[in-house]
Amino acid sequence: MDPFIALADPVRRDLLRALAPGPARVVDLAARHPISRPAVSKHLRVLTEAGLVTVEDRGRERHYALARPGLAPVRALLDELAGRRPPIPESAFDALDLEVRRTVHDRRAGAGPGTGRSQEESA
């Protein structure tokens, strides 16, 4: 399910706010709302299907937690609308690190950048 559809309901947004500080049981979440516990469970299922909430069974209880990575599409849209550029992805730093290591290795080996030959061969 699309996270934007899941966030369209005010009860689901409130459930996410309640989960922001940490995991909670369904019974505790239901106590905050004037709707039935099964209705709260249905809202939690929608949030889970949208990737916004995770669930863990602990004995007879189900504990729900906010899945912060699921908010990435929402954060990206808000950043786009606010005119902010997205942060540099970690993979870009990995590629930069690899290139720096290659350059250092080539210089230590005496090869000129992009030549494939050592300085002694070119002299």
Side-chain angles (χ1 to χ4, degrees):
M1 169 172 280
D2 188 319
F4 294 99
I5 293 171
L7 290 171
D9 188 281
V11 172
R12 291 193 286 266
R13 290 193 304 267
D14 190 57
L15 288 169
L16 291 175
R17 284 185 196 100
L19 292 171
R25 302 176 306 160
V26 126
V27 67
D28 298 327
L29 294 168
R32 297 171 46 108
H33 297 282
I35 58 177
S36 69
R37 186 171 156 188
V40 170
S41 292
K42 286 182 183 180
H43 283 295
L44 289 166
R45 185 175 66 239
V46 169
L47 291 169
T48 302
E49 290 172 359
L52 299 172
V53 168
T54 60
V55 62
E56 179 183 344
D57 290 327
R58 296 183 192 167
R60 295 177 53 199
E61 296 178 334
R62 300 194 90 187
H63 292 252
Y64 290 85
L66 181 62
R68 294 182 196 283
L71 295 171
V74 177
R75 185 178 321 280
L77 175 65
L78 294 175
D79 286 346
E80 178 184 330
L81 294 174
R84 292 187 214 132
R85 298 186 72 200
I88 299 171
E90 191 67 32
S91 60
F93 289 114
D94 293 341
L96 178 62
D97 180 58
L98 178 63
E99 189 58 36
V100 169
R101 289 175 189 269
R102 281 185 188 158
T103 302
V104 168
H105 179 266
D106 288 350
R107 287 190 179 160
R108 285 185 181 158
T115 64
R117 295 173 30 194
S118 71
Q119 291 174 351
E120 294 162 355
E121 292 175 328
S122 61

